[in-house]
Amino acid sequence: MSRRCELTGKGPMTGNNVSHANNRTRRRFLPNLNDVTLQSETLGRGVKLRISAAALRSVDHRGGLDAFLAKAKDEELSDNALKIKKEIAKAAAAKAA
């Protein structure tokens, strides 16, 4: 499983460990990923995703999974999240009609 957030696309970054003697060795900064189940109001069910803690705060700030995915760019979303976004859009269109 890749270390990439399914909603924001946030992945590992690189940098240096710097010792007291200023010796530098390469290291990786990994995103804080969590397995969560988010509730979709439109679909009426939970959706399992692996997202970063920052993305979880963003989802809450935007008013839930449905609102977050509606505004999210398709390039940043994983294949799984993109499929969920299309399901939500289809269900919302069916309710409106």
Side-chain angles (χ1 to χ4, degrees):
M1 189 180 289
S2 66
R3 297 180 187 270
R4 190 159 295 276
C5 175
E6 292 192 64
L7 295 183
T8 60
K10 185 179 286 192
M13 294 175 57
T14 58
N16 290 308
N17 279 329
V18 182
S19 71
H20 187 66
N22 212 30
N23 296 330
R24 293 162 194 267
T25 54
R26 296 305 282 179
R27 63 162 290 183
R28 287 173 46 142
F29 293 95
L30 300 177
N32 183 10
L33 296 179
N34 300 296
D35 293 316
V36 297
T37 303
L38 298 172
Q39 295 298 320
S40 171
E41 295 166 9
T42 308
L43 299 176
R45 64 179 171 89
V47 177
K48 279 191 167 187
L49 294 169
R50 189 162 193 234
I51 64 174
S52 65
L56 185 57
R57 293 178 67 226
S58 297
V59 168
D60 287 340
H61 180 75
R62 286 205 187 154
L65 180 65
D66 300 351
F68 182 91
L69 287 175
K71 284 190 172 183
K73 295 178 184 170
D74 290 352
E75 303 89 53
E76 292 177 351
L77 298 174
S78 68
D79 294 338
N80 186 27
L82 199 56
K83 189 175 89 172
I84 294 164
K85 180 178 179 176
K86 289 179 181 174
E87 277 182 48
I88 290 171
K90 189 175 180 181
K95 277 187 180 180

